[in-house]
Amino acid sequence: MSNGIKKPAHLDDVVFKESKAYQNSNEWSWVNPKHGKFEHPANYYESALEDWHTFDAFDSDQVCDVVVIGGGLLGASAALHLSEQGVDTILVEKNRIGSSASGRNGGQLTPGLARWEAEEMIKRFSYEDAKKLWHFTSTEAMSLIDQISEKYDVELARKRGHITAAVHEGHLIALTQGADVRKYLGENNTKVMGEYELKELIKSDLYKGGLVDDLGGHIQPLALNRALVHGFCKNGGQVFEQTEVLSISERADGIYVKTKTGTIKARKSVVIAVHHNAFKLLPEKKQTAIPFHTYIAVTAPLEVPLTELLPQDHPVYDTQLQIDYYRGVSKNRLLFGGQGTGTSWSVGRINQYLLGRANKVFPQLKNVEMDFCWSGVSDLTMNGATDNRKFGEKYPIYAVHGWSGHGVAQTVRIGKAIADDFSGLNTDYAMLTKIQHSDILFGRLLAPLAIPMSKGWYGVTGMLNPGKMVSF
């Protein structure tokens, strides 16, 4: 494998084009027809980057120390950090690098372990354990992104600062309590603002105040994914795209990873980094997560400057049951996401929904059009934390899923924790495996019913107690 894989390179704005990834039946992408007709258009992130390397498919039997299955942020991070430790590693991806959730998410950097924030951790663990877990998912996760960017000299469009905007006065209580726990755990990067102070940062009348977090921020997630793979290849790692793993089997002399065109023998370990599809490859068939669909759109360049909406360029998500999240991106565009569904909604329905929400938040916007819209698939666990597993009789097999729609920075941090665990450097990953998860009987089959039923229930309880903060 050549080490000359170029760094991700950003465009001034976008080039409307066909995606280099293969179309996934669970996901769709749309581009405003005025920009051309595309069978499978690239989403905003892919359109905002120069065309990048495409890797060959795996076509012959090989042997290595570790096989990483999945070329998203988790797999790419695990592979990168293994390669930094001198471990002979092969990374396989069934589609293209960053073609699924890792290259289709909102790009916001927020602390926490999926939906677990500091308050949840202190309720469940001792002070020292909660402090360790919180810093793992906050200060360490954010710092690792910066370290990778500096070490491999890659531009990730990294911006600092994040806002959680309260749609009800009562939600400020929960946000204040969360900030208090963070300070108690030794991390003081937050400030609670009232309605009028927050209007200096978000030019909207919709919010009653909010939490400003200087630790978080936003990033170009596909650029981050490609940067991790760039670093892995620079360290001598091998990458194969269009390579779907059919099965894994542990034998006396290693773990055999079978694909359609050959078998890779991993002498020491395997990392399963394919999130909601992981259960197909797990010897442990316990289903702890169910899939759900999410949606994002990016506007055409706005008629008003973004600074008149978000003066300091903060990304935002709010505290309503079905959250809105948004941020400014290149050439005066607004990225706007929201809605989570058990079945995939149509392009027309989602465009109408997200455009309506954008106009609700910023009624001063006029003549807004969407240039991009796309769907993605994430997965939910019952308790809201990621399910981190380590198993295998003789050789360790790692698997992580259940991101619940959150965790760009934490995904990268857990990838490093897997590599560190494999090399015996620390117990960070062991800490994550101690979190208990419930099996969801018929979980994947019931997702189309379970998700709307859950949202309906939370909606009713929200109407009865609007000051209680519950977000989906």
Side-chain angles (χ1 to χ4, degrees), residues 82-154:
L82 285 164
S83 71
E84 289 181 344
Q85 295 168 18
V87 180
D88 180 16
T89 304
I90 291 177
L91 173 66
V92 295
E93 162 59 44
K94 72 174 183 179
N95 195 327
R96 297 289 188 191
I97 297 298
S99 58
S100 294
S102 294
R104 304 176 73 84
N105 61 72
Q108 296 197 12
L109 300 177
T110 56
L113 183 65
R115 291 176 182 266
W116 275 19
E117 298 190 9
E119 197 169 6
E120 189 71 27
M121 295 176 188
I122 200 66
K123 288 177 181 177
R124 294 174 179 264
F125 303 108
S126 68
Y127 173 79
E128 289 301 328
D129 287 346
K131 183 177 181 179
K132 181 180 179 182
L133 181 58
W134 177 252
H135 281 273
F136 177 93
T137 64
S138 60
T139 55
E140 294 177 23
M142 302 303 169
S143 177
L144 181 59
I145 299 292
D146 296 331
Q147 291 168 22
I148 292 168
S149 176
E150 181 178 357
K151 181 173 183 177
Y152 294 97
D153 189 27
V154 286

Side-chain angles (χ1 to χ4, degrees), residues 366-381:
K366 306 298 180 186
N367 304 316
V368 181
E369 280 191 303
M370 296 302 185
D371 269 354
F372 299 89
C373 188
W374 65 92
S375 72
V377 182
S378 187
D379 51 356
L380 288 163
T381 58

